Structures are given as structure tokens and as C-alpha cells.
Amino acid sequence: MIIVMERNASPELVDAVTVRLEQLGYKAHLSVGVERTIIGVIGEKRPEDMEQLAAMAGVESIVPILRPFKLASREFHPEPTKVQVGNITIGGDEVVVMAGPCAVESEEQILTIARAIKAAGAQILRGGAFKPRTSPYSFQGLEEEGLKLLALAREETGLPIVTEVVNPRDIDLVEKYADMLQVGARNMQNFTLLREIGQSKKPVLLKRGLAATVEEWLMAAEYIISGGNSSVVLCERGIRTYETGTRNTLDLSAVPAVKHYSHLPIIADPSHGTGRWRYVKPMAKAAIAAGADGLMIEVHCRPEAALSDGAQSLTPDNFLQLMVEIKAVAEAVGRKSTAPVVV
Amino acid sequence: MIIVMERNASPELVDAVTVRLEQLGYKAHLSVGVERTIIGVIGEKRPEDMEQLAAMAGVESIVPILRPFKLASREFHPEPTKVQVGNITIGGDEVVVMAGPCAVESEEQILTIARAIKAAGAQILRGGAFKPRTSPYSFQGLEEEGLKLLALAREETGLPIVTEVVNPRDIDLVEKYADMLQVGARNMQNFTLLREIGQSKKPVLLKRGLAATVEEWLMAAEYIISGGNSSVVLCERGIRTYETGTRNTLDLSAVPAVKHYSHLPIIADPSHGTGRWRYVKPMAKAAIAAGADGLMIEVHCRPEAALSDGAQSLTPDNFLQLMVEIKAVAEAVGRKSTAPVVV
Amino acid sequence: MIIVMERNASPELVDAVTVRLEQLGYKAHLSVGVERTIIGVIGEKRPEDMEQLAAMAGVESIVPILRPFKLASREFHPEPTKVQVGNITIGGDEVVVMAGPCAVESEEQILTIARAIKAAGAQILRGGAFKPRTSPYSFQGLEEEGLKLLALAREETGLPIVTEVVNPRDIDLVEKYADMLQVGARNMQNFTLLREIGQSKKPVLLKRGLAATVEEWLMAAEYIISGGNSSVVLCERGIRTYETGTRNTLDLSAVPAVKHYSHLPIIADPSHGTGRWRYVKPMAKAAIAAGADGLMIEVHCRPEAALSDGAQSLTPDNFLQLMVEIKAVAEAVGRKSTAPVVV
Amino acid sequence: MIIVMERNASPELVDAVTVRLEQLGYKAHLSVGVERTIIGVIGEKRPEDMEQLAAMAGVESIVPILRPFKLASREFHPEPTKVQVGNITIGGDEVVVMAGPCAVESEEQILTIARAIKAAGAQILRGGAFKPRTSPYSFQGLEEEGLKLLALAREETGLPIVTEVVNPRDIDLVEKYADMLQVGARNMQNFTLLREIGQSKKPVLLKRGLAATVEEWLMAAEYIISGGNSSVVLCERGIRTYETGTRNTLDLSAVPAVKHYSHLPIIADPSHGTGRWRYVKPMAKAAIAAGADGLMIEVHCRPEAALSDGAQSLTPDNFLQLMVEIKAVAEAVGRKSTAPVVV
């Protein structure tokens, strides 16, 4: 880190900072400029030290230099990580599409959708059994019953399943059924949940928080990896901005940013990212063109009767069309796709 | 809610929407304009219905009319709520100041600070025993040991204590020691936690999420109240914006907005709200002038050695000065303050 | 528009609003609900009326229903508009790439770059002669000398030129040289400039403001079109968000949104949109996949010696590579590209 | 500035950067850490150099250390600046209130309002003659006729007048009538306008841009001061955030931030800052408590018939009440107010 002293900071104040640095085990490196003194600090280790030093008399500001994440960084692990979910590999040549309803509603619903997305070439089935809802009066999910229905759909279609876990107490239960655990956007900084999921053997899909920077997101991944679970896939799902024309603003530049700083695979969720089914297909294609390793897409047989997020769900027909168009884009950027060749 | 149909929506599509509305138990009210048809819907009840209707063919958009919160609304409960924390009342004439360190670090630290803030007129002691930290490598709090030290400080000073709970599994433990449970900004939409805290008998301090609207915040309060616990105090602690000169942007207009829409008391936290101790005093005065029922202020005897958030902590001397200046502003807006009369 | 009355609004207050509506020439349409009265207003014409009505006693809020833009709307003009710039058509089958340096610096610089981008298949040359710079101490552009150099580069390469106009007084001058006038992000709501450019015969490239919604952006286009100039091309160049890892957040969902609401062509500028040359290529491909009609790319022969925006400029080699990769994506989404077939 | 090299940057790349720095006239200061090399640069002068250096091979990022503004900085000018507008001083002990309608509409309107605000203790009359409006179909102001009416109101009441100038061509005209020139939020980075206003002898009210950081705002002031006009008053009027419950988010922490970094006076505009008349009074009090040197308040005799911004205008009665309450807060923070003693 760099410590910038105030313009009028006396030599005594500068000394006090360098003494404190040595107490904390750092080496200080002074640059006395015309306008002010700047102290380079060798050995950036503990975040709380930055806070302490920032509170010392004569200190104008602290500038961090190194990224705070380590295990999630590309410098630590130069090769891209591939994450295995059942027999599916995320982060390899093939673009992986996870699809399904926002919430599992009934056996008929989940089986019909699972068959439809399988026929269209999707590789993983998604569906919520525990739903974090803004309103306490909204449908909160079928809970274990929903997990059982997902398992039934897997049995019939062979698709591995990914589903959200919202409560640390439910991890064991969800692990019994799911092939991949999803951490939702609202829980990206639920550190209790992250830490406990770090002890799971199941791969994790970590959604970006509504107002999280890429750096904070990678720090959330660091929580999971440092707990012992390095099978983390990131999912960009839109951030909150002033724009109200879309539900969120899908930040696709997070795809090259994550590829630059980290070795973890990243997929995109244009359904939550835009909140409007009309924009899902163009943004899905954009995500693949930007280098995403896959997609998460909401599909519902009757969006107008869905118990959650109908406005952003595709019908099976629209989803098949999306898969076909995705295939063309994937191949244009040197990736493969499992979409059917002919519509 | 209002349903806006697309310009070219056929009468058949309009009919389909009105039929669906009736199935869902609503009354439809058609306005056929020159440019498009608009359907007024009488009886706004279930959030998921809006999603479903938005997914119907021919529907351009859905415009909600009524606020989604009920128990937290001023319409439901016109009189302002007063929340009792030990022998302290929040939401009455007196401005209530909660102060203390970000994290409890040691017996000496918490006792020294508790005595200092008591002498300066603070009414409630704050201090973190479980700390949600962005980095897994940061100090995470003393946990139960921290709670015991807080209880010790209460015993000595008589100040009730407020402390954060981050894990649903810890609620029982924290309740044993704390007079008020704090839900932190990162957990404002941790619905599992909210629901379980709704069953507690202890009053709750609910911080606003980093990117939460006032409406979402009141919905989070609704989770707690609908669970049975109506002793909720809101705390504005800054929202995330593009401005990087401050840690967050303290949104003081949330104070009159909450007063307009809700009966719940609201306080402000200018320490997290600005992240810079230099701005804490002016923003504390601003919060009281805007009508806040109190303040939460970080105080540390040696900010430059604090294990968390040193840069935004006040020294006891600065805190005393703040209390004296707050008193003048409180009286100017017709409130009372317990700050000492003379410095 | 819809007028939502307060819960306790008396019949007299409701009457006052309906009387006022009739005075203003509207028809009122009452819905008396259980909780409150809602007034549908037929004939949405003047924005200031909404403000006035919102100020009436008993009014809780005003909800606009129709989009405020007309000439820029797809409803008004269902067919996509094609804009002609010299012999180049924007908005047709072919993806159009505008490339060049941020600022024109010298004859050698602009000629070298113009030849390089032409060889790589770019169709329009960009370059700034008048530069709006955050600091008064930064290089502000070569002004008319820069325009002459652009014209020289056009003469040699045949590429039409687009350049920014920042001062209404300079429109005549810039028109003499340029084939297309650019309105920069900081001037998107410089209504004086928009109105005067509305009287120009030259096509206009209208960049999105840093914090403009898609709706406000289309209103800015409306200023130009209502002045008589309907040759407007929109350019998404990133919006300001809390994320600091990129210079701006390129909002590619604006592409399908503009296509949905408007008939105007839209291109994307991933150079300003990300501010980092490493992310330009993936985001350029993403923009084309999302349906953009073209791209604006900063190219500099020696980015490390550029007088402006070096960090986001591509070298000619990187630009050629981009053009080749763009071609593949363009074809995958059914568009054409003029990039050379072989690298 | 600090140059952070990439982890794997070779000694040759580091050498190239230091050679380039010397060519540009800087001194380089190497810190070779375990993880990477950092180059301290002595003599931070030209913003474009940062861009160039950021584009060099092996450079990870550039970290600016010094603030880019000079003439606007408190370091350059430690004493607070007082700005004279007619016989009124802004930045002294007295809190200065500018009030009046958003737009001048008629002689009767402006005279009635001017008399009312004078009686309530306001010191400066505001009113728009040239209105920058989002829609080309909205009322755009009475132009010179409006300026004449403002002058008439000044003649009758003795109140100096402040009014917006939106077109560089109108500066001479507006200067003939106005005592203070206002630069609106949408023109904060209209550098042409700023530069020309820098040559005016009239004091300037510079509103903060919708998405401007405090640093960019002070750079805009730097444009005006470096042009020769140092009578600049800043006006915080709310920034754009994700929160839709208010028109903008009034960022009152900008008040202490500006006081810390600059010598310029700063006032607040809670009318635009909140967009809702109900929140104007509490936020006006908050602004004064935070240390603002004054206020700008919209007042209209009949808000429900205003041609612009009715929803955020106070009636004369509400304004008088505001002045009385402001007086109490001003005195509580050691300032004076000209509000009448008794209501």
C-alpha cells in the first residue's frame, strides 16, 4: 500500500507512521516530494492495518496497490479452473447452459420444463426450492418437496441440478439432492453461508451481489476457496444502477475482468440481468461473445402463470431459438455448443 | 396496479388479461385511450401476480400503485412507534445516541470506551462481537467472549447494549447478552435471519442495505414485524453510489421519507455513512436537523490501533464535542439531548 | 398518465383535480378503490402538466404511462432508419466500424492511423479536433487545424469522417469538414447544441450521457429530430456506476432496448465504455452479438504516446485482430462485415 | 502519481517506463517489492501523461496521488473565499437564502413571489429565463423577457438576482440583467460555457452535475477560476443514484468534503435535491447543520399551476415557516440568519 501524508504533515508525524509500520512488521519506503511525502509500504498483509494507519495524524489517505484476493487470483493459479458438475465441465471449450424455472412449482411443471430444455440442448437444470423474496407475502418455495421434484427431473432427464441455498442450516439438506449449490445475489456477502459452503464438497455457483464490485465478488469467492472448496463458478446477473428501463444492468465487462484477474469460470444470467424476456436472447449472445463460459436462463412453460419472475422467463420455443442462435455465436468465438444442429 | 397494454394489442389480448384478472380474484377497470388501452386493477395483493401478468402477450408494462409494505406503513399505524431498549426510548422527544467501537477487542478497550461515551451523554453502547468482513483474512470478532465483555461494560456503566447478529444459529446466544439486536447492511435481505429475528422479543436495529431502496428497506422491516416483533428501529448508514470521495453516500432524505411512509423510528450512522472521521460531526448534526431520532457513532480510544474501521472512528474528545454540538441542533429542532451542558 | 390520490384524500380534493384536468384539456377517468382513488388521464401531452398536478393537495404521485418521445419512437416510425454517412449506410445489413485516435495530434499521426484502419476494414475515420477535457490544463485539441488534417486523411483514404462539436458557435466550421457531427456524452443534454444541430443537414452521432437513462437519451434525439434533422445514430459508451474496475459500465442492454422503443440505429463504443484496451475486443464482439449496428473504436499507433485516452486505445495490430474476430460474430448473427477475409 | 507494474513485468519493461518518465520531465523512484515493482513519480503535472503511461507494456495501473485541482484547492488558498452578490456576502457568518420560482412566467408571478420571499427574509431572488428542459416540447422559458421581469422584481424589492445561462452566446445578455450567473447541473461539464463564464466579472453559481464526483465538480470550478473569475459558489443539488423515491439523492457529505478540499463557498438546493416539497424543509435544515453557506429554494405562489417543477416548490407560507426553522438551526451551529424573528 501507499500512504499519502497531508501537505503540511510535520517530520514528526511522518516518523510516527514509519515507526508504527515497523511495529506492524512492514518496511517503509519514503518519497519526499515537493508537495508532500509519500510512504511506500512493502508487505501488504492485513486489511485492518490500512484502517489503523488511515486514522493516524497527518495521514491524508491510504492507497491499496495489491488486490486483496489471493486464492481466487490468476497470479496464484495461472491456468483456468474447470469445474465439474455431474458429467458436465464448466470452463472448458463447451459453453454450458443452465436453464429452468425460477421456482419449482409442481411435478408436472418441473418435468415438462426439464424435458423441454434437455431437448433444446441445455446441460444443467436450474430451479429454486428455497426462494429469497423481497416480500414476506410472496411464494417462498416448496422447500424439501421442491428438492425432491428436482431430483425426480434429474432421474428422468439425466441433467444435473443446481439450486439455491439461503440458510446455513439447510446446506446438508440441499447437498443431499443438488449437484451444485447456488449462492444468490442477496447472499453474496452472507459470510456465514460462504464459510459453511466452503466446507461442502459440492461445486458452487456464486452470483454477483446487486451492488458488489468485481473485487468484492472475488473476495466472496475467496471465502469459499479458503474454506477448502475451490470449485467455484461465478455468475454475473446484473448490478443496480440508476437505469430503470431494465431490472438490473447486466455488466458484461465483468466477464473479461474476471478472466483477467481470476482463474475461475464465469457465466451470465441475462434473465435476472435484464428482467425482460425480450432482451434475454440478445444479451445471452452478447455474453457468449464476451467470453462467458455459459449461461443461466429462466424458462417456464407458461410464463404468464409462473409463481415467480414470469416477466423474464422464456417459453420453451423461445429457449430453443436462443440455443440455436447461441450455437452460432459460440462457434464464431471458438467455443462449442450442445444445441441441436437443426431447428 | 395498472396494466399498460401495447399500442397494437388486439381486443382478444385485452380480453385474455381481464379474464386472467378475474381468475386471480381481481376486478378489472378498462380505459381505452387513443393510443392504447390501460387496465386498472382493483385489489393489489400478491407480488407474484404482477410478474405473471407482465408475462402475458400484449402487456407492455405493469405499474404498481400501492406500496407493498403494510405493517410497516404509516397508513396502517398512524402514530409514531416508540421502541424501548432497556430504560431508553427511541422515537420520543429525546435524541438517542448509540456509540462505541466497531469491534470489541479487549476488556480494557470496551470498558474505557464505555465510560467515555457514558460521560459524554451517550445512552446505548454499541460494539461488534461477530463481524461481517469483506476479507476472510480480516479480524472476525471475539464472538461470545465479545458479548461477555459488552455485558460487563453494561454492568459497570448501566448502558444497554446493541450488537450485530450475523448467523441465525447465533440468535439465542446474542439474545442472552444484548438489549438490542442489530441486523447489518449486508444482511438486510438475509430473509432467513429476518424471519428468525421476527420471533425474538428483543428490539431490532435494522440497517439499510448498501443498494436498498427505502421501499425494500421497509419490506425488510415488514419481514420482522410480520414475524411478530414490531420493535424495529431503522438505521440509515449510507448507500453505494459512483462517488468515491466518501465510503458511502449518507442519504439523509431517507429520514423524511421514512417518517412519511412509516411509523418506525429512524436513526443515522454517519461513521459508516461517510467513512471519514472528519465528516462525522457535520453529518451527525445534519441527521438530527433532518429529523432523525438518534445516531450511531463509532468511538475508539486509539483509532490508529483499532482492529476495524479506525479511519471513521472518533476519539472520546471528538465524541464529547459532537455530543455538545448535537445538543444545540437537537434543541433547535424541538428535541432533547442528554449531552452534558458544559464542556 | 395516472394520478394516485392519497389514502385520506377527501372527495373535494379529488374533485379539484378532475376540474383542473378538464381546464387543461384532459379527460379524467375515476377508479375508486377500497384503499384510495386513482384517476386515469386520457390525452398525455405536456410534461409540465404532470409537475403541476403533482403539486395539488391530496395527490400522492403521478405515474406517466406513455413514453415522452414521439419522433424517435418505433410506434411513430415502425421501420428501422438507415443513416447515410458519405457512401456508408448505418443501420443496414453491414456492421459499420468507426475508428481512429481520440484526438488528432499531427498530420503524420492521423494519416498513419487512417491508412491502418482502412486496411483493416474500418469504414469511417474518427478523431477529435475539439476535445472536452475534465481538466483545463489538458490538451484541448488542434481545433480547425485538426479538422483540416481529418479532411486530408479522408482525401487520401476515402473514409468519411466523424468528429465532435462542443460549441454551438463551431457548428458551421465543423460542418465544412466533417461528414458526421458527434455530440459527446457530456453534451447529451446541452439542449442549445442539440437544437442547433437539429438544423444541420449532416448526420449526427449522439453519445449517451454518463448518467442518462435510455428514455432521456431518446428525448435528446427527439430534440435533434424535432429540429428537422432525422439522421441520428445513437452510441452507447458506458454509464457511470459504483464499479471502479472499469472507467464506465458499458450497458449493452441499451442495444435491444433502443431497438425495441426506437427506429434509430445504435452503435457501441467499448473503448470509452471500459477504458481499458484489454476489454475492448471482447466487449466489441459482445456489442455486435447484442445487435449493435456498428462500433466506435479508439486506435492509436503509439498508445503510450497518445495525447488523450492512451490506456483505452488499440494498436493497429490489435485493431486488425478485432476486425477479423468481429467479422465472425457479425456473420453468426446474420450481419455483414468489411473486415479482410484473411489476417 | 504511482505506477504499478504487472507481476511479471521484466526489468526491460520497467526500464522503458523510467526512461519515458525522464523524457517527460519526471523523476522516477523505484520500489522493488516481493510481488511487484512500484514506481513513484515526482512532479505530477499533465493529466494526459497518466493516460500515456497507462498504455505502456507491463503497466498494471496508474494511481494518482495529488488532487488535480489547484486554484480551487484549500492548499492553494487556505482562507475561505467570500463571494459578493450585490450587497450580499456568501461564505460569511450569515446563511444566504436564494429563493424564487423555477421559471419566470409573468410579471405578476415574479413580483408576487419576490415580495413574499423578501418578507420571509430571503436575500437573493432566483428565477429561470432560459430553461434547459428534458423534453423539446416543454416550456423553455421567457428568455430576455424573463430577464427584464427579474430586473423589475429587483428594482421593487432590492433583492439581487441569480439566473441560469445555458448558451455561451447569451452570456452578454444575461450579464446585463443578472447579479449572479448560474451554471446548471446539465452544463457542469459544458467546458465551452465554463471557459467563457471564466471571463465574466459576475459571480457564478456552479451546480453539481447529476453524476459528477466532488473532484470533477472542483475541476469545473477550476475552469472558471483559471479563466480569471474566482467568484465561484458551489451548489449541491442532488446526484443520480438507484433510489427512485426521491428525484435525486441530496449528497450533504459534499458540504464537509468541499470545505475540506476547497476554499469556495457551498450552498444546497433541497428542492431539486429531493424533488418533493414535503422533504424540502427537513433537508434545508440538514444542509445548514452540515455547514452549508446557504440554500436555494423553489417557491411558487401556486405550485399546482407552475410551468416547471411544481411538485418541489413551496408555497410562500411554507417558505416562511422554513425560514423561521432555518434560523434556529443556523444559530445552533453558530451562523446568522435574516429570517424574521416572529412568525
Side-chain angles (χ1 to χ4, degrees), chain B residues 99-137:
Chain B
C102 182
V104 180
E105 298 168 16
S106 69
E107 179 175 331
E108 194 205 330
Q109 176 237 27
I110 193 67
L111 287 181
T112 313
I113 296 174
R115 284 175 207 129
I117 64 156
K118 160 105 178 175
Q123 294 106 310
I124 297 178
L125 174 65
R126 63 149 289 163
F130 296 93
K131 299 299 307 169
R133 302 300 301 271
T134 308
S135 165
Y137 311 120

Side-chain angles (χ1 to χ4, degrees), chain D residues 40-342:
Chain D
V41 183
I42 310 290
E44 182 159 11
K45 282 173 205 135
R46 293 167 305 265
E48 54 265 39
D49 293 347
M50 287 180 57
E51 285 285 345
Q52 290 187 17
L53 292 158
M56 292 190 75
V59 172
E60 167 79 28
S61 63
I62 304 282
V63 182
I65 296 298
L66 301 184
R67 307 272 152 190
F69 44 87
K70 293 185 168 59
L71 306 176
S73 75
R74 193 169 272 278
E75 295 181 347
F76 173 79
H77 186 301
E79 287 307 300
T81 287
K82 294 181 187 182
V83 171
Q84 204 66 26
V85 180
N87 57 340
I88 303 297
T89 304
I90 305 176
D93 278 354
E94 203 169 279
V95 159
V96 174
V97 179
M98 312 179 181
C102 182
V104 181
E105 296 169 17
S106 70
E107 181 175 329
E108 195 205 328
Q109 177 237 27
I110 193 69
L111 287 181
T112 314
I113 297 174
R115 284 178 208 126
I117 64 156
K118 162 106 177 174
Q123 295 106 312
I124 297 179
L125 176 64
R126 63 149 291 162
F130 297 93
K131 300 299 309 169
R133 302 300 302 270
T134 308
S135 165
Y137 311 120
S138 292
F139 173 62
Q140 311 271 327
L142 295 179
E143 307 194 350
E144 187 168 4
E145 181 56 25
L147 296 173
K148 286 181 181 164
L149 294 177
L150 283 168
L152 190 68
R154 171 177 52 200
E155 213 173 300
E156 194 180 310
T157 60
L159 297 173
I161 55 186
V162 56
T163 195
E164 183 167 354
V165 55
V166 296
N167 187 339
R169 286 198 189 93
D170 296 332
I171 295 177
D172 289 349
L173 176 68
V174 177
E175 271 186 324
K176 264 179 44 192
Y177 296 95
D179 299 287
M180 183 178 215
L181 306 177
Q182 179 179 321
V183 176
R186 284 177 181 74
N187 282 313
M188 193 203 85
Q189 291 195 321
N190 182 338
F191 302 117
T192 303
L193 189 68
L194 297 179
R195 236 184 321 250
E196 302 202 12
I197 278 180
Q199 289 161 28
S200 169
K201 301 287 180 230
K202 296 277 169 133
V204 181
L205 185 70
L206 177 65
K207 290 199 143 191
R208 182 178 184 180
L210 269 82
T213 60
V214 168
E215 187 170 304
E216 290 167 339
W217 190 16
L218 289 170
M219 285 308 289
E222 188 89 7
Y223 260 91
I224 298 172
I225 304 175
S226 69
N229 186 346
S230 57
S231 294
V232 178
V233 175
L234 301 167
C235 179
E236 163 63 33
R237 45 76 71 205
I239 59 174
R240 183 158 275 190
T241 70
Y242 67 83
E243 172 63 74
T244 53
T246 41
R247 180 171 174 177
N248 295 289
T249 297
L250 192 69
D251 176 16
L252 288 182
S253 61
V255 174
V258 162
K259 294 282 175 197
H260 182 58
Y261 289 114
S262 178
H263 53 90
L264 298 174
I266 175 170
I267 69 168
D269 172 352
S271 304
H272 283 88
T274 65
R276 305 184 63 165
W277 68 265
R278 274 187 188 88
Y279 303 164
V280 170
K281 205 166 62 175
M283 294 310 281
K285 291 190 278 186
I288 297 305
D293 297 302
L295 296 167
M296 175 168 255
I297 305 283
E298 284 194 10
V299 176
H300 199 285
C301 291
R302 294 177 54 219
E304 72 281 7
L307 293 183
S308 179
D309 284 347
Q312 67 195 34
S313 295
L314 296 188
T315 59
D317 279 358
N318 281 334
F319 179 66
L320 175 57
Q321 187 59 36
L322 174 143
M323 288 298 288
V324 171
E325 297 187 21
I326 282 301
K327 187 188 190 73
V329 175
E331 289 169 0
V333 296
R335 306 291 287 261
K336 290 175 193 161
S337 154
T338 51
V341 180
V342 186

Side-chain angles (χ1 to χ4, degrees), chain A residues 6 20 45-48 50-57 59-60 68-71 131-140 166-170 186-187 189-192 195-196 210-213 216 219-220 222-223 226 240 247 276-278 302-312, chain B residues 6 20 45-48 50-57 59-60 68-71 131-140 166-170 186-187 189-192 195-196 210-213 216 219-220 222-223 226 240 247 276-278 302-312:
Chain A
E6 289 175 355
R20 180 79 186 138
K45 283 173 205 134
R46 294 166 305 263
E48 55 265 39
M50 287 181 58
E51 285 285 344
Q52 291 187 15
L53 292 158
M56 292 189 75
V59 172
E60 168 78 28
F69 44 86
K70 294 185 168 57
L71 306 176
K131 300 300 307 169
R133 302 300 302 269
T134 308
S135 165
Y137 311 120
S138 293
F139 174 61
Q140 312 270 329
V166 297
N167 187 338
R169 286 198 189 93
D170 297 331
R186 284 178 182 73
N187 281 315
Q189 291 194 321
N190 181 338
F191 302 117
T192 303
R195 235 184 321 249
E196 303 203 11
L210 270 82
T213 61
E216 291 167 338
M219 286 307 289
E222 188 89 7
Y223 261 91
S226 69
R240 183 159 273 189
R247 180 172 174 176
R276 304 184 64 166
W277 67 265
R278 277 187 186 86
R302 294 178 54 220
E304 73 281 7
L307 291 184
S308 179
D309 285 346
Q312 66 195 35
Chain B
E6 289 175 356
R20 180 81 186 136
K45 282 173 206 135
R46 294 165 304 265
E48 55 266 39
M50 287 181 57
E51 286 285 344
Q52 290 187 16
L53 292 158
M56 291 190 75
V59 172
E60 167 79 27
F69 44 86
K70 294 186 168 56
L71 306 177
K131 299 299 307 169
R133 302 300 301 271
T134 308
S135 165
Y137 311 120
S138 293
F139 173 62
Q140 313 269 327
V166 297
N167 187 339
R169 286 198 190 93
D170 296 332
R186 285 177 182 74
N187 282 315
Q189 291 194 321
N190 181 337
F191 302 116
T192 303
R195 233 182 323 248
E196 303 203 12
L210 270 81
T213 61
E216 290 167 337
M219 286 307 289
E222 188 89 5
Y223 260 92
S226 68
R240 183 157 273 189
R247 180 171 175 177
R276 303 183 65 166
W277 67 266
R278 277 188 187 84
R302 293 177 55 219
E304 73 282 6
L307 292 184
S308 178
D309 285 346
Q312 67 195 34

Side-chain angles (χ1 to χ4, degrees), chain C residues 10-88:
Chain C
S10 68
E12 288 71 32
L13 292 176
V14 176
D15 277 358
V17 172
T18 55
V19 167
R20 180 79 187 140
L21 282 170
E22 279 159 29
Q23 288 171 353
L24 292 167
Y26 295 101
K27 280 193 198 156
H29 201 125
L30 248 68
S31 302
V32 183
V34 197
E35 302 214 36
R36 62 186 77 207
T37 295
I38 285 162
I39 307 174
V41 183
I42 310 291
E44 182 159 9
K45 281 172 204 136
R46 294 166 304 266
E48 55 266 39
D49 292 348
M50 288 180 57
E51 286 285 345
Q52 290 187 18
L53 293 158
M56 291 189 76
V59 172
E60 167 80 27
S61 63
I62 304 283
V63 182
I65 296 299
L66 301 184
R67 307 272 153 191
F69 45 85
K70 295 187 166 58
L71 306 176
S73 75
R74 191 170 273 278
E75 295 180 348
F76 173 80
H77 186 302
E79 286 310 299
T81 287
K82 295 181 186 182
V83 171
Q84 204 65 25
V85 180
N87 57 339
I88 303 297

